[in-house]
Amino acid sequence: MTDPVKLTADLVRCPSVTPQEGGALVLLERLLGGAGFECRRVDRNGTPNLFARWGGKGHGRTFGFNGHTDVVPVGDAAAWSVDPFGAAEKDGFLWGRGAVDMKSGVAAFVAAAVDFVRDTPPDGAIILTITGDEEGGASDGTVALLDWMAEAGEAMSACLVGEPSCPERMGEMMKIGRRGSVSAWFTARGVQGHVAYPHRAKNPVAAIAMLTARLAAMELDHGTEHFDPSTLALTTIDTGNPVINVIPASCCAAVNIRFNDLHTGASLSDMLRAEAADIAGETGVEITVETKISGEAFLTPPGLLSALVAEAVALELGVTPGFSTSGGTSDARFVKDHCPVVEFGLVSRTLHEVDERVEIAQIRQLKAIYGRILAGYFA
C-alpha cells in the first residue's frame, strides 16, 4: 500500500516555494509512472505542471483530481520551532510548509489513485492534474494544464480539488463553489497647494476619503441560497505625503470585493468606475480606476458528485459534510469551465502559518475517503 504520510513528508522536504518546482513533481512523476500512469510535464512560461492519466484516452468515465505542490514562503524561519522543510513528526502531527496547503492532499489522492488502479483496475480513466503555480499568479498552472488537455483531446467527467476544506473538524465541510474576487486601485490626481490656501488646490485626499467611505458603506446584496452576502474591504489609502502643511497632488486607495453569483467581475468593475466618476464630478479631482478580476463566482449545484463525496466521508468518518462556498479562491475556478468540480480536503487551521502542521491520522483518513470516492464513482 502506498503510504500517504511518507509521501507527504517527502513532498514537504521539496522546497517548492512558488515558482520553484523543488523536486516535488519529479517525485510524483516517478511514483505515478511506476504505477502505470502515463505522465507528461506541461510546463508553461517557467511554471512546472504535471499531467498523469491511467486508462484509455477519451474514455467515457474519467474521474479527475486536481492539486498543487507549490507553497508560500516560510516567512521568518527563526520563528519556526522546526525546520520548515524538515517534515518533522511529533505530537501526532507532521510539520512543515505545505503540510496542510496542500502537499498532504496531493499525497492522499496520489496514494489513493495508485492503490486503486493496482487493486481494482477501473472500467474508465483517472486523471491527475498537479500544478506548481496555485499560490502565485496562477496564469500558467491549472490554466495551462486545461489548455493543453483541450488541445490533446483529454477530458475529465468530474473533478475533485484536494484543497483543505474543513475549518475545524475533519469531514465537516466540502466546497461546492467559490466566491468571485475583484480588486480595484484608485488614483486621485488633484492640484498641490499650501494648506493655508485650500481654495487654490484640489485635494485628492478628500476625494479618496469620500469615495472609500461611500464604498465601505455599501450593502452589495443579501446573499443567495448557497452564498453569503458579498463583501467589500478597503485595503489601503496612501498619499506618500511626509508633511502636514502641503495638500498633495495625488492619493491612492485599493479595495477588494468577494462576490456571490448575483454579480460578475465586469458588473462590479463598472460599478466601481461609476462611483469614482461621481466623486470626481463632485470634487473636480480626476480619479482613474484599474481593476483585476481574479475569478468569477461559481457553483456546482448539489447533485451526483457532491453526493458521492458526502457518502464517502460519512462511511469513513461518520460525519456528513455541509456544503459551502466560503473562503478565498482556488483552482476550482478554472476547472469549473471544464467539468463539474467540488473541493474536499483536510482541516485548514494552520495553512500558511508559522509551524504549519497536519494531523497525521487525517492524512490516512483522507486517502481512505478518496479511495472510497473512486470506488463509488467506478462502481
Side-chain angles (χ1 to χ4, degrees), residues 15 27 43 58 60 63 77 94 101 120 131 179 184 196 220 224 227 236 238 247 261 267 290 296 309 315 329:
L27 186 160
D43 298 4
F63 193 87
L94 192 154
D101 189 14
T120 53
T131 179
R179 298 178 296 173
L220 295 172
T224 66
F227 285 90
T236 186
D238 182 30
I247 294 171
D261 52 353
S267 69
E290 295 183 17
E296 298 287 354
V309 175
L315 288 172
T329 58

Side-chain angles (χ1 to χ4, degrees), residues 263-308:
H263 311 274
T264 66
S267 69
L268 290 169
S269 296
D270 289 343
M271 179 274 291
L272 294 170
R273 291 189 178 92
E275 294 293 334
D278 286 347
I279 297 296
E282 293 176 22
T283 62
V285 172
E286 176 191 0
I287 304 177
T288 58
V289 185
E290 295 183 17
T291 62
K292 179 182 178 181
I293 302 168
S294 300
E296 298 287 354
F298 74 92
L299 178 74
T300 299
L304 293 176
L305 179 57
S306 54
L308 174 68

Side-chain angles (χ1 to χ4, degrees), residues 125-210:
I126 298 173
I127 285 178
L128 310 182
T129 54
I130 306 170
T131 179
D133 187 37
E134 196 273 348
E135 301 289 6
S139 58
D140 293 304
T142 293
V143 173
L145 283 159
L146 293 171
D147 288 345
W148 178 86
M149 287 173 63
E151 295 170 1
E154 299 280 3
M156 298 179 288
S157 306
C159 183
L160 189 151
V161 177
E163 288 278 4
S165 64
C166 302
E168 300 292 340
R169 187 166 60 103
M170 184 66 178
E172 66 181 324
M173 183 180 292
M174 79 169 79
K175 302 293 178 71
I176 61 170
R178 289 279 189 164
R179 298 178 296 173
S181 174
V182 59
S183 298
W185 294 265
F186 304 94
T187 302
R189 295 180 177 87
V191 176
Q192 184 172 318
H194 196 293
V195 294
Y197 307 98
H199 58 284
R200 298 177 181 173
K202 288 184 180 179
N203 194 335
V205 180
I208 286 292
M210 291 173 61

Side-chain angles (χ1 to χ4, degrees), residues 61 63-65 109 112 116 126 158-162 174 304-316 321 342-345 365-379:
R61 288 199 302 169
F63 193 87
F65 286 100
F109 70 62
F116 183 73
I126 298 173
C159 183
L160 189 151
V161 177
M174 79 169 79
L304 293 176
L305 179 57
S306 54
L308 174 68
V309 175
E311 180 182 25
V313 175
L315 288 172
E316 188 64 31
V342 299
E343 300 174 51
F344 180 78
Q365 289 172 339
L366 188 61
K367 178 196 172 183
I369 290 167
Y370 288 161
R372 287 183 181 275
I373 290 170
L374 288 171
Y377 182 79
F378 289 107

Side-chain angles (χ1 to χ4, degrees), residues 227-244:
F227 285 90
D228 290 334
S230 301
T231 60
L232 184 151
L234 174 65
T235 58
T236 186
I237 297 176
D238 182 30
T239 65
N241 184 10
V243 296
I244 61 170

Side-chain angles (χ1 to χ4, degrees), residues 79-82 90 95-97 350 353-358:
W80 287 67
S81 65
V82 296
K90 63 174 185 176
W95 301 59
R97 176 57 83 224
T350 64
E353 293 185 4
V354 169
D355 281 345
E356 182 177 350
R357 59 198 178 275
V358 58

